[in-house]
Amino acid sequence: MDSLFVIGRDTVPGCFEALPGEPLRLTFVVLPGTSCAVETEILLARPGCEADIAGLYLCDGDDRFSLKLNLRHDAGECRSRQLFKGMASGRSRAIFDGRVYVGHGAQKTSALQENHSLLLGDDAFVESRPQLEIYADDVECSHGATVGSLDEQQQFYMQSRGIPRDEALRLQKISFLSPVLGRLPETLFNEVITCL
Amino acid sequence: MDNLLEIRGLHASVGEKEILKGIDLTIRRGEVHAVMGPNGAGKSTLSAVLAGRPDLTVTQGTVLYEGRDLLAMAPEERAWAGIFLSFQYPVEIPGVSITAFMKAAIAARRKAQGLPELKAAEFLRLLKEKMAFVQMRPEFASRSVNEGFSGGEKKRNEIFQMAMLDPVFAILDETDSGLDVDALKIVASGVNALRSPEKSAIVITHYKRLLDYIVPDVVHVLKDGRIVKTAGPELVERIDQQGYEGLDG
């Protein structure tokens, strides 16, 4: 299953289940002007399942967005990957609350969760709450979260080549989002790019 | 006008620390100047000030470029006026291809100069030609800028960008460091191809090696934020044999 959800336009089911031999691939996109709280669960309940989850959220103005994602490894030998990239500008607030649960029987689990955010304004707010809860002892699990701002060295490098500051900032945002942008169909890709 | 660049009494700091302590330097059109000196002398700071790096503060002095106040110009305006800095540590931009990057750079400059946009076919022809010139493999065109490049590939990419942008005044900040002889020759041929009666360059280096291939017109020794010696190319040989000791003006 390979599904894409534009939050605010598409309804996100409360639960997804990965099946053996049928990797679950989900992509979430949040465009500016979206205020909502999304909560969903991803189940890996049978051995040998895979889940590949990614998302990007662009919050601006007075947007309030939160994503609560509960990923459960209940069976062994499953693999999950999560990558969420967010940006907040204006007075917006963006919260990523991601829990990875690995149950007693879920030996040989491989789980990776990453959440990186850019804070683009003094009045904007981002929060990352990554949580790992592991009850099996033979697993490979890691998570990482960063909150940062645009890199000034990169900006200067681009400006020194004649790229004006505004365009340099836009390219930096594309660069930051690129691992998720690659998953989008062309029309949505273009829609995201015009928001940057 | 004969002088391309005139630096007078230039002092610059990083935070509270003064790095440049009174630089005077005039570069005429057509000249290549080498700036040598020990680590921490201020060589990279000088090049960064000329390109407009924002974390440096100029506390005193003036810099005229083609008679204009260079220090009042934004980094991109300096690029549009023909200044190019080859970075000592080129920056990685994941997700932005060399082609997209160069397209943005060239389009912005042409717009600033009031020129029409370069046609796609013309741009690609130029890209191919300059990549071949610095012996970069064609597949690099679609790779992200400097991401996962070796040290030598990054430096070659700097020279490729220089060739694409065809600057009037090039600043090479230790472009030779970490290069093998073949890569060094490519860098040198890139700089030498730019040499003309209208164009100038500053070549910053620790080593004589690069200056065997790019023979400078003038050589300066920078020590502790000041130019302590200026002479012809024969100075390079002396430094190579005796180091910087005794060159205190």
Side-chain angles (χ1 to χ4, degrees), chain A residues 151-154 156-167 171-172 174-176 178, chain B residues 51-53 75-76 79-80 84-85 87 91-96 101 105 108 146 158 161:
Chain A
D151 180 65
E152 286 185 9
Q153 283 289 331
Q154 251 182 12
F156 172 56
Y157 188 68
M158 292 197 253
Q159 285 180 276
S160 80
R161 298 317 187 226
I163 298 174
R165 194 180 151 78
D166 286 354
E167 176 68 7
L171 285 174
Q172 280 186 294
I174 293 173
S175 169
F176 173 75
S178 61
Chain B
R53 205 175 77 196
E76 59 267 38
W80 301 336
F84 180 88
L85 169 63
F87 280 53
V91 179
E92 298 187 7
I93 314 174
V96 176
F101 183 61
N146 293 323
E158 293 294 285
Q161 293 175 41

Side-chain angles (χ1 to χ4, degrees), chain A:
Chain A
M1 181 181 168
D2 187 348
S3 301
L4 183 131
F5 299 91
V6 178
I7 309 296
R9 289 181 202 167
D10 307 317
T11 308
V12 180
C15 185
F16 296 89
E17 186 172 355
L19 301 171
E22 211 180 303
L24 179 67
R25 193 171 194 263
L26 303 175
T27 307
F28 299 96
V29 174
V30 179
L31 295 168
T34 309
S35 280
C36 63
V38 176
E39 191 172 340
T40 191
E41 192 164 45
I42 291 157
L43 301 178
L44 295 105
R46 293 200 246 168
C49 295
E50 273 184 46
D52 171 16
I53 321 294
L56 62 85
Y57 42 97
L58 312 176
C59 301
D60 193 15
D62 289 308
D63 296 348
R64 296 279 180 274
F65 171 72
S66 69
L67 174 65
K68 191 168 182 177
L69 205 150
N70 187 18
L71 187 141
R72 289 184 67 100
H73 279 268
D74 286 320
E77 292 170 7
C78 293
R79 183 177 188 271
S80 67
R81 294 289 176 266
Q82 292 182 64
L83 174 65
F84 284 87
K85 293 236 167 187
M87 281 186 208
S89 52
R91 291 168 303 278
S92 65
R93 296 172 70 86
I95 297 169
F96 173 82
D97 183 340
R99 173 172 174 253
V100 177
Y101 171 89
V102 181
H104 289 287
Q107 301 295 359
K108 307 276 181 206
T109 287
S110 166
L112 177 67
Q113 182 200 55
E114 279 189 79
N115 174 222
H116 303 291
S117 320
L118 281 181
L119 198 53
L120 299 174
D122 292 340
D123 299 321
F125 174 86
V126 292
E127 191 175 335
S128 185
R129 300 177 197 148
Q131 302 137 64
L132 275 178
E133 212 176 308
I134 304 171
Y135 299 99
D137 52 14
D138 183 14
V139 298
E140 261 183 37
C141 297
S142 72
H143 62 176
T146 58
V147 177
S149 49
L150 292 169
D151 180 65
E152 286 185 9
Q153 283 289 331
Q154 251 182 12
Q155 249 159 57
F156 172 56
Y157 188 68
M158 292 197 253
Q159 285 180 276
S160 80
R161 298 317 187 226
I163 298 174
R165 194 180 151 78
D166 286 354
E167 176 68 7
L169 296 177
R170 208 176 72 91
L171 285 174
Q172 280 186 294
K173 293 176 192 172
I174 293 173
S175 169
F176 173 75
L177 296 173
S178 61
V180 182
L181 283 175
R183 299 166 69 111
L184 307 187
E186 200 182 338
T187 44
L188 186 59
F189 176 92
N190 290 334
E191 200 176 343
V192 169
I193 296 291
T194 53
C195 295
L196 301 178

Side-chain angles (χ1 to χ4, degrees), chain B residues 81-160:
Chain B
I83 292 180
F84 180 88
L85 169 63
S86 168
F87 280 53
Q88 186 180 358
Y89 303 108
V91 179
E92 298 187 7
I93 314 174
V96 176
S97 70
I98 287 183
T99 303
F101 183 61
M102 277 291 102
K103 208 177 238 175
I106 286 182
R109 188 174 68 177
R110 289 182 71 91
K111 191 177 167 194
Q113 291 169 339
L115 294 169
E117 223 174 293
L118 207 56
K119 290 201 175 70
E122 269 176 80
F123 171 77
L124 289 174
R125 188 192 53 73
L126 187 71
L127 190 88
K128 268 188 193 161
E129 179 195 317
K130 301 305 183 189
M131 286 186 85
F133 174 62
V134 299
Q135 297 178 29
M136 261 166 100
R137 292 193 308 278
E139 61 264 29
F140 272 79
S142 54
R143 283 184 58 176
S144 295
V145 178
N146 293 323
E147 191 189 24
F149 286 24
S150 69
E153 286 166 345
K154 284 182 181 174
K155 296 301 174 82
R156 202 175 291 200
N157 186 24
E158 293 294 285
I159 299 304
F160 158 71

